Amino acid sequence: MTAVDLFSSMFRLGPAGDVRTEQRRMSPDLAGWTVMTLHVDSDADAHPESWEQHSDGEEVLCVLTGAVRVYLRKEDDPQDPDGELVARLTPGTAYVVPRGRWHRTTVEEPSDIMAFSRIAGTWMERRTGW
């Protein structure tokens, strides 16, 4: 096996403990666990106009460099435009987004983020006021 470029590739974790590497892509047909590393320069790279939800599992967001903020939408208010700040992530920190919770991120400074999630079952919803 050769070295893997984390920013153009992703890891697919199989149920039998196997790991596959493939070109990074976002697709609703990605069954199982996926590990991706992303570089975000600004909020525009973190889809600020949308809430995101993973119904098939929790998501782990890890910050390798930079700083981001994670917001959860209040469960009883689907029109909540901004959400509640639940974590400020800096290098070496992570946050586990609960399964089925609408969330979004903002970028404080250019960052490298590693995300562990199940892409299948991901939903996006436009934020109010965008």
Side-chain angles (χ1 to χ4, degrees):
M1 180 175 196
T2 61
V4 176
D5 179 345
L6 294 176
F7 296 97
S8 63
S9 301
M10 66 183 187
F11 297 102
R12 303 285 306 284
L13 309 179
D18 54 311
V19 178
R20 291 191 328 264
T21 309
E22 54 189 66
Q23 185 173 347
R24 191 178 79 191
R25 62 191 169 93
M26 291 295 291
S27 175
D29 68 339
L30 290 174
W33 286 95
T34 302
V35 179
M36 290 188 193
T37 305
L38 311 161
H39 179 77
V40 291
D41 281 317
S42 67
D43 284 346
D45 298 323
H47 57 80
E49 74 287 351
S50 298
W51 289 103
E52 178 179 85
Q53 179 201 109
H54 307 284
S55 60
D56 288 351
E58 296 176 320
E59 177 179 33
V60 180
L61 296 172
C62 309
V63 170
L64 306 175
T65 64
V68 302
R69 292 181 180 182
V70 180
Y71 295 84
L72 294 181
R73 187 167 79 184
K74 296 177 188 98
E75 290 183 88
D76 60 348
D77 186 1
Q79 298 304 314
D80 179 17
D82 298 313
E84 174 185 359
L85 175 64
V86 292
R88 179 178 183 270
L89 303 179
T90 55
T93 62
Y95 181 76
V96 178
V97 178
R99 176 193 308 250
R101 285 299 303 271
W102 291 100
H103 63 283
R104 67 184 186 93
T105 57
T106 60
V107 179
E108 283 189 18
E109 59 187 73
S111 303
D112 294 324
I113 302 167
M114 185 174 282
F116 298 75
S117 62
R118 295 175 64 122
I119 304 294
T122 296
W123 297 89
M124 303 287 281
E125 185 176 284
R126 192 161 186 81
R127 285 176 55 209
T128 304
W130 275 82

